[in-house]
Amino acid sequence: MAKERRRAVLELLRRPGNAHCADCGAPDPDWASYTLGVFICLSCSGIHRSMPQVSKVKSVRLDTWEDAQVEFMASRGNSAARAAFESRVPPFYYRPSASDCQLLREQWIRAKYERQEFTRPERQEPYSAGYREGLLWKRGRDNGQFLSRKFVLTEREGALKYFNRSDAKEPKAVMKIEHLNATFQPAKIGHPHGLQVTYLKDNSTRNIFVYHEDGKEMVDWFNALRAARFHYLQVAFPGASDADLVPKLSRNYLQEGYMEKTGPKQTEGFRKRWFTMDDRRLMYFKDPLDAFARGEVFIGSRESGYTVLDGLPPSTQGHHWPHGITIVTPERRFLLACETEAEQRAWMEAFRKVVDRPMLPQEYAVEAHFKHKP
């Protein structure tokens, strides 16, 4: 009898919507919340287990199922649960995938089932009001210490500001929503709630690193920034659909990690630098948590004269890591070297994705700026 019930639950996985985790979209979920009626992956099941007043979980394959539990799973399933629990998700709210950090997935799950933010829109105020202020721990640019700073996000002014003192009249920095990006970087920042905020200052990239001890607070800030970007883009591109705008709200980096580089004469020694590929900007830093890049390279498209080659020219001098990459731009070649073949493959794939993508009209203006940099 127990085997039949388990077989019945396994059969339910074949139904449309049930073949992927209800919360992060990972394929082949092996767990289920028998109080919510959803099929979930192992990783998300751990988050469900941390809120037992809302969700109780079982292994689809290993646990014993009761008739009533099987019937309930049959009456619900992922598609029905999504219709119920995600009926009012704002278009700007970040929906995490299986590759996203634990914090984003946990707060998405808690927002859905525990706080029911997407069935009761009044609970969305912390990130949808158009104004937000509070204290965040911010990493000092020079000393690397995290200090409490007041942050203010105002859609009306189209800016995120921070102040060195809570009573300060003038902000230490004003970051225009137009040029702002935010991405969670827990490993890099060394805190599970670490957020990297990037903006353009004099057309150069500036990084700030922040966190809050309360995970919900940090994700609310992240979604408030996305909301502000969404409303800015709606005004800037009045004809665009939500589906066109949502991918532009925030972006994760295409690739990050250490490589070695040599200078423009290509006779200098190779130096180890931290590289970040952010859309078409390849930036390099002495340290991953530097506020400013040491340099930036624009990577355009193949039809504009950009290519990426495996290896380095035979004439390359100086000691370097064994797995080379040559980036060819209309102006010059950039010589890079990776420590492992796997890292070289990952970087080559990231560069080729960018080079194979046709350039947008506004990207030609960015390219022109790079060409005229001193």
Side-chain angles (χ1 to χ4, degrees), residues 280-317:
R280 289 196 184 274
R281 286 175 185 257
L282 176 65
M283 298 169 280
Y284 54 92
F285 306 83
K286 193 169 183 183
D287 182 273
L289 296 177
D290 282 348
F292 292 100
R294 287 293 178 98
E296 301 188 39
V297 181
F298 181 85
I299 299 186
S301 61
R302 200 175 297 283
E303 59 255 40
S304 297
Y306 294 81
T307 51
V308 183
L309 306 173
D310 192 336
L312 299 174
S315 59
T316 306
Q317 299 173 2

Side-chain angles (χ1 to χ4, degrees), residues 126-145:
Y127 43 83
S128 63
Y131 181 88
R132 183 177 179 83
E133 71 172 77
L135 298 174
L136 297 174
W137 292 97
K138 178 194 167 290
R139 187 178 191 273
R141 191 180 84 186
D142 301 318
N143 60 14
Q145 281 185 305

